[in-house]
Amino acid sequence: MPLSKFLISIIGTVGVPACYGGFESLVDNLLDYTPDGIQYRVFCSAKKYSERLTSYKGAQLVYLDRDANGISSILYDYESMKQSLDCDIMLILGVSGCMFLPRIRRKFKGKIITNIDGLEWKREKWKWYAKRLLHFSERQAVTYSDIVIGDNKGITDYVKTAYGKDAVLIPYGGDHAVKIEDNTLYAEYPFAHAPYAVTVCRIEPENNIHCILEAFSVSAPLPLVIVGNWDNSEYGRTLKEKYTGCDHIHLLNPIYEGHRINWIRSHAAVYIHGHSAGGTNPSLVEAMCLGLPMLAYDCVYNRATTEEQCLYWHTASDIVRLLKEKQSSFATVGETMHDIGLRLYSWRHIAEQYNRLWQN
């Protein structure tokens, strides 16, 4: 089938323009490198967009009156699949609705490509029945997809070991994160006048926020800034209540404006990355592309993303030790992270890898 007839449906995101997370940024940047003859259809949550564009960067936008996250994401994705039966390719981001792929397969004659994201069913935030459901959806995604994408070597190795299937390795991009110069923001964030450490993430146990906060509350040579959704869980609310009184710890609510979050990150002296689950984390590769020295939680995913070239920790005491003993190596680590980031995680390179899949 000639490329001029290709209609590709993108399923599983809140939507574009990106205002939420990693998959949304992936789609937003993928649209910048749309090949000739390709038409994208992107499904969006009507609940997140007061202004509902009919098209964006040449893509058709279709709005569903459901939330794209949480338990409702299952039906959100399923409805998106049902409205994509006329497409040539379904690109499914995440496995929430993939439990319905056997049913979709009976009606859809095109190609199904699924990025399974991280191993969502292993996350501590889910209860046992949710973990089983997500694990089942992951199995259906791998079984019924023509191509499976893993964003990290740890994920592709897992797919091979668990399911005996080869997955394509395509990470996230991060070079949209650039150093921002805006002196007006110092008044809003006065901590930026002096060196500080920064973390940007969802406030969840597997992101080891409790370890990071413990390290900086006990003994740390730098102030700490953490940007995250503190009020979305009991875990986050408990940590916020416990550490709000620490003068050198700044707990900021989520910031979705790219200009502002890049300014906060690019002025930091070091990035603390606590993710222990999932694959290639967007906030990690963005910090790498900014050239930040990196202290990352020691797990297979983070070692793969950073090519084992940054500083790693397991405990709060490890963080304290690295901050005190390894500061002389921070500049070198930052330069190395920057080089790896631009070599592996440029959006042009990521888009080229996705675009090759449309022709396979």
Side-chain angles (χ1 to χ4, degrees):
M1 182 179 294
L3 283 177
S4 60
K5 296 183 180 180
F6 266 26
L7 177 59
I8 301 174
S9 172
I10 301 182
I11 296 164
T13 75
V14 172
V16 290
C19 61
Y20 190 78
F23 274 145
E24 288 72 26
S25 294
L26 165 63
V27 175
D28 207 314
N29 285 278
L30 193 61
L31 296 181
D32 288 331
Y33 301 98
T34 304
D36 292 340
I38 294 289
Q39 176 66 62
Y40 287 112
R41 176 186 297 166
V42 182
F43 287 89
C44 309
S45 172
K47 295 181 179 295
K48 294 295 184 181
Y49 291 93
S50 55
E51 181 184 2
R52 299 173 190 174
L53 305 175
T54 57
S55 65
Y56 176 72
K57 294 184 178 180
Q60 303 170 1
L61 304 187
V62 178
Y63 295 87
L64 302 180
D65 193 25
R66 295 184 184 274
D67 285 318
N69 294 298
I71 191 67
S72 64
S73 65
I74 296 173
L75 294 179
Y76 177 83
D77 288 1
Y78 180 45
E79 183 62 33
S80 301
M81 294 175 196
K82 290 194 297 181
Q83 293 192 34
S84 301
L85 296 177
D86 62 328
C87 295
D88 298 292
I89 295 174
M90 291 188 197
L91 174 61
I92 303 172
L93 303 176
V95 302
S96 292
C98 288
M99 65 183 70
F100 294 108
L101 280 184
R103 180 178 298 181
I104 293 296
R105 265 298 188 199
R106 289 197 290 268
K107 299 180 179 180
F108 181 61
K109 303 306 180 184
K111 182 188 295 183
I112 295 176
I113 301 174
T114 303
N115 185 325
I116 65 170
D117 198 17
L119 309 183
E120 188 70 19
W121 62 273
K122 290 190 174 184
R123 296 187 185 276
E124 294 181 29
K125 66 180 181 180
W126 301 116
K127 297 187 182 298
W128 67 268
Y129 51 84
K131 289 184 177 183
R132 286 191 178 183
L133 192 63
L134 287 166
H135 196 188
F136 174 74
S137 283
E138 176 190 276
R139 186 179 300 112
Q140 301 300 86
V142 174
T143 301
Y144 289 95
S145 296
D146 297 286
I147 299 174
V148 175
I149 299 171
D151 62 43
N152 186 282
K153 187 177 184 298
I155 299 295
T156 57
D157 288 348
Y158 162 79
V159 172
K160 183 65 173 180
T161 300
Y163 301 104
K165 186 169 183 174
D166 291 323
V168 178
L169 173 59
I170 307 180
Y172 290 115
D175 61 340
H176 60 283
V178 294
K179 186 174 178 61
I180 300 294
E181 298 295 344
D182 185 346
N183 291 336
T184 65
L185 290 176
Y186 280 106
E188 189 170 349
Y189 304 111
F191 56 74
H193 285 288
Y196 59 93
V198 69
T199 299
V200 180
C201 64
R202 290 188 177 95
I203 309 303
E204 298 174 348
E206 62 266 21
N207 292 343
N208 290 290
I209 307 304
H210 52 288
C211 289
I212 298 172
L213 286 166
E214 179 185 345
F216 280 84
S217 67
V218 173
S219 175
L222 293 170
L224 171 69
V225 176
I226 302 185
V227 183
N229 54 340
W230 300 98
D231 298 324
N232 279 27
S233 67
E234 186 61 31
Y235 175 76
R237 290 187 291 270
T238 299
L239 291 176
K240 184 177 182 180
E241 181 178 355
K242 181 176 181 179
Y243 291 102
T244 293
C246 297
D247 292 339
H248 64 291
I249 294 178
H250 308 275
L251 309 180
L252 307 185
N253 289 325
I255 298 172
Y256 298 117
E257 300 92 337
H259 173 89
R260 188 177 298 268
I261 194 65
N262 280 340
W263 187 89
I264 292 172
R265 288 188 297 191
S266 62
H267 282 73
V270 60
Y271 192 85
I272 315 294
H273 187 70
H275 292 64
S276 61
T280 299
N281 183 263
S283 65
L284 175 57
V285 297
E286 289 164 3
M288 291 171 66
C289 289
L290 287 169
L292 295 179
M294 190 75 57
L295 273 62
Y297 185 81
D298 194 352
C299 66
V300 63
Y301 309 113
N302 295 337
R303 282 187 174 271
T305 301
T306 60
E307 294 190 335
E308 303 200 6
Q309 296 297 309
C310 77
L311 302 170
Y312 303 97
W313 56 272
H314 273 121
T315 66
S317 59
D318 291 338
I319 297 174
V320 174
R321 176 179 54 80
L322 291 172
L323 288 171
K324 290 182 176 180
E325 298 178 4
K326 297 294 184 179
Q327 282 203 44
S328 61
S329 66
F330 279 9
T332 299
V333 172
E335 291 173 3
T336 302
M337 293 298 98
H338 185 255
D339 291 344
I340 295 172
L342 296 187
R343 172 165 51 85
L344 296 181
Y345 307 119
S346 74
W347 280 116
R348 179 180 292 276
H349 179 55
I350 303 306
E352 287 172 352
Q353 293 177 78
Y354 272 93
N355 290 337
R356 282 196 290 271
L357 298 181
W358 314 150
Q359 303 176 57
N360 288 343

